[in-house]
């Protein structure tokens, strides 16, 4: 498929966003299950529920395009998931896992913020005001989640890690 228009670029980005949100559903479950901190576990569980809504929103945008919702693999997401699997294979302590999971969550939020930040102006350019508003709502939620994770990272007690 040739990509030579704003709409083609938008649809390709939307497919990557759809893939990202779907893969992160499983990844968030993994982060929840491997975290020892109840606050962290709860945060990942809540964000997983929010991610299900993000998937639905992307499907709504596909509907607005009169296109079938389709995911296209995103190697960035796969790289983040592989990095987590590699880390877990090193038999880290519970505290190290918690800190790593915070960082993994922050990385994924930064990536999602960039994905939505790029899709919104394209939707605007295409005159898709409803789609832009929908994507903007998701962008704000991703920014809020990044802020929450950043605060957890700042408050992390490094003294609990073995020296």
């Amino acid at each position: 498929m040739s990509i030579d228009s704003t709409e083609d670029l938008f649809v390709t980005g939307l497919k990557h966003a759809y893939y990202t949100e779907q893969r992160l559903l499983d990844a968030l479950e993994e982060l929840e299950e491997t975290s020892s901190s109840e606050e962290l576990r709860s945060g990942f569980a809540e964000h997983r529920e929010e991610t299900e809504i993000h998937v639905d929103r992307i499907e709504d945008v596909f509907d607005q395009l009169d296109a079938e919702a389709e995911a296209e693999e995103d190697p960035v997401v796969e790289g983040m998931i592989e990095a987590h699997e590699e880390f877990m294979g090193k038999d880290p302590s519970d505290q190290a896992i918690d800190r790593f999971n915070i960082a993994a969550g922050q990385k994924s939020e930064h990536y999602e913020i960039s994905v939505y930040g790029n899709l919104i102006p394209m939707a605007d350019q295409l005159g898709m005001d409803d789609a832009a508003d929908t994507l903007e709502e998701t962008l704000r939620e991703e920014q809020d989640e990044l802020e929450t994770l950043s605060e957890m990272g700042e408050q992390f007690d490094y003294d609990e890690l073995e020296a």
Side-chain angles (χ1 to χ4, degrees):
M1 173 183 135
S2 176
I3 298 175
D4 53 10
S5 70
T6 303
E7 185 172 345
D8 293 342
L9 196 57
F10 180 71
V11 170
T12 298
L14 200 58
K15 289 178 181 181
H16 284 150
Y18 193 49
Y19 180 85
T20 298
E21 295 291 7
Q22 289 178 324
R23 283 294 279 148
L24 290 178
L25 284 172
D26 293 335
L28 285 163
E29 184 174 12
E30 175 75 14
L31 293 175
E32 178 188 354
E33 290 173 357
T34 59
S35 295
S36 64
S37 158
E38 187 54 44
E39 179 185 18
L40 199 51
R41 291 172 64 85
S42 174
F44 287 130
E46 288 173 20
H47 193 57
R48 188 170 192 282
E49 290 174 12
E50 193 172 78
T51 300
E52 290 172 348
I53 294 168
H54 297 172
V55 168
D56 291 340
R57 286 184 190 150
I58 293 172
E59 290 170 350
D60 290 343
V61 173
F62 274 112
D63 286 344
Q64 292 173 39
L65 285 166
D66 218 13
E68 184 176 331
E70 183 181 345
E72 189 171 301
E73 184 173 329
D74 189 325
V76 173
V77 175
E78 290 307 311
M80 287 189 283
I81 291 170
E82 287 174 24
H84 189 267
E85 290 170 357
E86 280 182 31
F87 178 79
M88 294 302 291
K90 296 178 180 179
D91 194 31
S93 69
D94 286 346
Q95 293 79 19
I97 292 170
D98 284 353
R99 187 59 185 100
F100 189 88
N101 285 352
I102 292 169
Q106 287 174 297
K107 288 176 189 178
S108 70
E109 294 308 324
H110 276 287
Y111 184 65
E112 289 175 285
I113 288 167
S114 70
V115 167
Y116 290 107
N118 283 296
L119 286 171
I120 293 164
M122 285 188 271
D124 285 334
Q125 180 67 32
L126 293 166
M128 300 181 65
D129 296 337
D130 289 343
D133 291 345
T134 298
L135 297 169
E136 179 72 36
E137 184 176 3
T138 301
L139 173 63
R140 284 191 303 273
E141 291 169 355
E142 301 295 7
Q143 291 168 329
D144 290 346
E145 184 63 22
L146 175 60
E147 186 176 319
T148 298
L149 287 164
S150 295
E151 288 171 6
M152 286 181 169
E154 290 168 7
Q155 296 170 2
F156 186 81
D157 185 0
Y158 288 93
D159 291 335
E160 290 185 17
L161 289 173
E162 296 174 16

